[in-house]
Amino acid sequence: MCGITACIGTDESVDSLLDGLRRLEYRGYDSAGIAVKNQAGISLTKRVGEVSELVGAVERDPIDGTFGIGHTRWATHGGVTDNNAHPHTDESGRIAVVHNGIITNYQSLRSELESNGHKFESETDTEVVPHLIEENLRDGATPEEAFRAAVGRLNGTYALASIIGDEEAIFATRSGSPLVLGVGEGEYFLASDVPAFIQHTDQVVYLHDGDFIIARPSGYEVTDSGGRPVDRPLKYIEWDPETATKGGYEHFMYKEINEQPGSLRRTIHGRLNALSGGVELEEFPPGTFSDVEQVHIVGMGTSHHAGMFAASLLSERGIPAYAFMSGEYAVIKPPVTENTLVIAVTQSGETADTLDAIRRARAAGARTLALTNVVGSSITRECDDELLIRAGPEIGVAATKTFSSQVTALMLLTERFVEDITGNKSGVARDVMDSLARLPGDVQEVLDTSNAREIAEEYQDSDSYFFIGRGLAHPVALEGALKFKEISYEHAEGFAASELKHGPLALVTPMTPVFAIFTGFEDEATLSNMKEVQARGAPVVAITSDPDGEIAEFADHVLTIPETHPDVAGITANIQLQLVAYHAAKLLDRPIDKPRNLAKCVTVE
């Protein structure tokens, strides 16, 4: 893995491929390369490092072609070297392939091919594919037959794109890894994600697992593994190309933090009745969830924290709910029945662990629901139902606006569950809904008044950073720590405030600032924990809506949030913590949008 791009029918294929790779940089990678077809054959350039290294190599030694494929790699098999970078070719150099995913039987295939005289240049699993195609061509197969037969030998997950011999076509397929087709006027694009080609076209075809596609200058065709045509609808993307650019901001992450008032308005729009305070989900009319007896929420990283938030909300409202890391769901094997609803929370809709968890839940008879940001993603096809968070494209690896939109969408779902399952339409729910309606404005207030930069400057030389909270503030503390560590590379940990005296307090020193989150729930107990760490010399930054009260009196610094319902306060508190993480990373001159070793979309387990 991590990013595929391809184009055919364009006037400037090299420029289009390089631009597509630039727009996929947010996915995380360690090397990049392109291969283009011209009269002399296939011209190939690939380099370790950033796409800029590849661009420089192409500028020094220009290549051209009428169509081609490109790739940003995140190493899974073999070290980070030019030889291991994609695209990979056969021995003749007439076949080039790019691949996302993992081919689990590559070693046996490689041994078989080597026994037949094939010589390999890399340590990757991907290189078996062009050699398999070459072998099939030698046996008299057409390029399409050779590609299909090679894919038929593969086990594992993959999105593949290939150029073969003199055929003026791009051959591609997917199984467990995303691939989308962009349809322009006489030009066609393939990519792992829409931003790679959004500046060229807003018309897309989402491919399903098992789909094969052949794109030519004259058009494209989608078939199944047996060669039978399949109908995949053409859809329109509502993103303006500007949304996939920085728009004057220094980093995508900072832009996306500042986009949250707008993304939250989209999440809420049409789903809240301002007069009644009730929830109106077009996707789920009243009574949809009346037979649900328990809820499991699966997700990884930020999505897991959003799931923890929702599970706590549901439990408070009398509905049994549990949050699981998707990657542990198969290990824990929680009991499910036909009255269990399993909610998959995933920004991309392609997270491998979460897809696996959903498949296991469905196999056990559970009902499933996808909560995602991406129309047509794999998770929407795997689940019985879907609810889009409508956050818009998120390019920065560190999730920001998608977390706040995930939590908000889950709060709306929670209210629908409560109405359907318990029949309870309490005044408390009305207060929550009113606070949600004010949320975009409250977030804008935080963005306009935050002193997060000053806090980051004050504590930039600390040894570690701790984040604490109770109830719904606990997942917010975990998310605050995650944001801090993933973009600043500094050690940060989140804890339930009640956990401090059971171990973590041993780590507290004057060089470990503690961020304490106060939401109006059990604030007195959290204040007691704050005093505990201060007694050990640790400075405390309080996140609170009362900058003049007792909490602020005892805190060393305060990050203020608007007064709101305790169930909603965690969202605005999280915005302050996102800003602290961003400014801390900027002070340290970290690559904020592309933190090392991380990828935006994790499509392998």
Side-chain angles (χ1 to χ4, degrees):
M1 55 186 302
C2 192
I4 286 174
T5 185
C7 62
I8 191 166
T10 61
D11 294 331
E12 301 289 345
S13 61
V14 172
D15 289 345
S16 293
L17 291 170
L18 293 175
D19 186 59
L21 293 180
R22 288 190 192 96
R23 293 172 181 270
L24 292 177
E25 285 186 297
Y26 69 92
R27 295 172 67 87
Y29 66 102
D30 51 51
S31 57
I34 62 172
V36 291
K37 182 68 171 65
N38 50 43
Q39 290 184 341
I42 292 176
S43 295
L44 175 71
T45 304
K46 49 187 183 177
R47 290 290 186 276
V48 164
E50 298 188 356
V51 171
S52 59
E53 297 291 331
L54 175 65
V55 172
V58 171
E59 289 175 348
R60 290 188 297 273
D61 188 9
I63 60 175
D64 60 15
T66 54
F67 61 97
I69 55 179
H71 191 268
T72 52
R73 177 183 187 243
W74 191 33
T76 56
H77 291 74
V80 182
T81 66
D82 286 348
N83 276 351
N84 287 336
H86 296 216
H88 289 289
T89 63
D90 67 324
E91 289 174 74
S92 70
R94 297 183 65 248
I95 302 163
V97 172
V98 291
H99 164 230
N100 282 350
I102 291 179
I103 299 170
T104 55
N105 63 332
Y106 85 99
Q107 194 59 63
S108 61
L109 293 172
R110 179 168 177 148
S111 297
E112 174 191 322
L113 289 162
E114 286 177 330
S115 69
N116 290 340
H118 291 262
K119 295 181 180 180
F120 287 75
E121 300 294 331
S122 78
E123 304 166 90
T124 69
D125 53 338
T126 304
E127 197 182 353
V128 300
V129 180
H131 287 279
L132 285 170
I133 295 172
E134 180 185 31
E135 186 95 337
N136 296 330
L137 290 174
R138 287 176 180 173
D139 292 339
T142 66
E144 179 181 351
E145 292 168 343
F147 181 75
R148 287 182 180 277
V151 172
R153 299 288 308 279
L154 307 179
N155 295 332
T157 61
Y158 49 80
L160 290 162
S162 179
I163 49 181
I164 303 174
D166 295 325
E167 192 84 2
E168 192 176 8
I170 296 171
F171 300 87
T173 188
R174 63 157 287 177
S175 179
S177 195
L179 195 64
V180 61
L181 171 73
V183 179
E185 295 184 6
E187 54 186 14
Y188 302 92
F189 306 87
L190 283 159
S192 300
D193 205 353
V194 171
F197 54 72
I198 191 63
Q199 76 280 14
H200 296 288
T201 181
D202 60 358
Q203 299 182 78
V204 303
V205 175
Y206 291 100
L207 302 176
H208 296 201
D209 281 353
D211 284 354
F212 283 75
I213 183 164
I214 304 176
R216 296 184 171 88
S218 58
Y220 69 92
E221 56 181 333
V222 183
T223 59
D224 63 15
S225 58
R228 295 174 290 271
V230 294
D231 182 27
R232 298 289 178 246
L234 192 65
K235 297 190 175 183
Y236 289 85
I237 297 296
E238 296 180 359
W239 305 348
D240 187 299
E242 181 66 20
T243 62
T245 67
K246 293 178 184 176
Y249 288 91
E250 186 174 354
H251 298 98
F252 278 113
M253 181 182 179
Y254 194 49
K255 177 191 177 210
E256 288 153 6
I257 289 173
N258 281 276
E259 287 176 341
Q260 287 176 103
S263 61
L264 286 166
R265 287 189 185 95
R266 289 193 298 273
T267 301
I268 296 169
H269 179 69
R271 292 169 170 173
L272 271 179
N273 186 314
L275 294 177
S276 68
V279 175
E280 296 182 350
L281 297 178
E282 181 181 352
E283 301 89 341
F284 310 118
T288 299
F289 302 106
S290 58
D291 60 346
V292 172
E293 296 177 353
Q294 66 170 343
V295 178
H296 293 176
I297 308 175
V298 295
M300 293 298 293
T302 291
S303 295
H304 174 55
H305 298 155
M308 291 177 64
F309 195 104
S312 294
L313 271 179
L314 286 163
S315 295
E316 285 179 11
R317 306 294 292 279
I319 299 171
Y322 313 90
F324 300 94
M325 290 187 185
S326 307
E328 297 299 307
Y329 197 68
V331 178
I332 298 171
K333 296 179 180 177
V336 301
T337 69
E338 63 181 9
N339 298 117
T340 300
L341 175 67
V342 181
I343 303 174
V345 185
T346 161
Q347 185 282 136
S348 67
E350 304 291 348
T351 309
D353 307 277
T354 305
L355 283 165
D356 179 68
I358 281 297
R359 288 162 185 158
R360 292 176 184 272
R362 290 195 70 186
R367 180 178 172 183
T368 57
L369 186 155
L371 189 125
T372 185
N373 193 37
V374 182
V375 178
S377 55
S378 294
I379 203 74
T380 63
R381 296 193 296 272
E382 296 274 356
C383 288
D384 299 310
D385 297 296
E386 69 178 83
L387 183 66
L388 296 172
I389 66 171
R390 305 173 179 167
E394 186 175 70
I395 307 301
V397 168
T400 52
K401 64 177 180 177
T402 53
F403 175 74
S404 59
S405 285
Q406 284 173 341
V407 170
T408 300
L410 286 166
M411 292 184 77
L412 295 171
L413 267 178
T414 294
E415 188 57 30
R416 174 45 40 84
F417 293 157
V418 170
E419 292 180 3
D420 286 357
I421 298 170
T422 71
N424 179 20
K425 298 184 179 181
S426 67
V428 173
R430 175 62 188 259
D431 292 345
V432 173
M433 294 302 107
D434 287 347
S435 294
L436 275 182
R438 296 194 306 270
L439 181 58
D442 287 346
V443 170
Q444 189 63 60
E445 181 179 334
V446 170
L447 295 170
D448 292 341
T449 62
S450 177
N451 57 324
R453 180 184 176 87
E454 290 77 8
I455 301 296
E457 290 174 343
E458 178 71 21
Y459 297 113
Q460 66 176 308
D461 296 322
S462 300
D463 293 337
S464 294
Y465 303 81
F466 295 155
F467 299 75
I468 62 171
R470 288 176 179 265
L472 294 176
H474 177 213
V476 174
L478 296 177
E479 177 62 13
L482 176 60
K483 284 296 150 288
F484 200 97
K485 72 179 73 172
E486 69 182 338
I487 64 167
S488 75
Y489 306 162
E490 297 295 300
H491 179 254
E493 293 296 334
F495 307 101
S498 59
E499 186 185 3
L500 274 174
K501 61 173 63 70
H502 297 279
L505 204 56
L507 300 173
V508 171
T509 75
M511 293 299 290
T512 55
V514 177
F515 292 80
I517 304 164
F518 295 87
T519 63
F521 173 82
E522 297 286 347
D523 279 358
E524 288 187 7
T526 304
L527 179 59
S528 175
N529 300 131
M530 187 175 93
K531 293 176 180 178
E532 285 176 346
V533 298
Q534 284 180 319
R536 276 78 180 173
V540 173
V541 179
I543 298 92
T544 176
S545 62
D546 187 5
D548 301 314
E550 185 181 14
I551 293 169
E553 179 184 345
F554 284 97
D556 295 276
H557 293 87
V558 172
L559 289 164
T560 304
I561 58 176
E563 187 172 349
T564 189
H565 192 281
D567 287 357
V568 182
I571 301 175
T572 50
N574 178 66
I575 307 299
Q576 287 283 26
L577 297 180
Q578 290 175 357
L579 290 166
V580 169
Y582 172 79
H583 289 298
K586 186 177 178 182
L587 287 167
L588 292 166
D589 197 28
R590 304 301 193 210
I592 291 172
D593 288 332
K594 296 176 283 185
R596 68 189 178 202
N597 304 327
L598 300 179
K600 185 67 176 174
C601 178
V602 182
T603 56
V604 295
E605 296 180 53

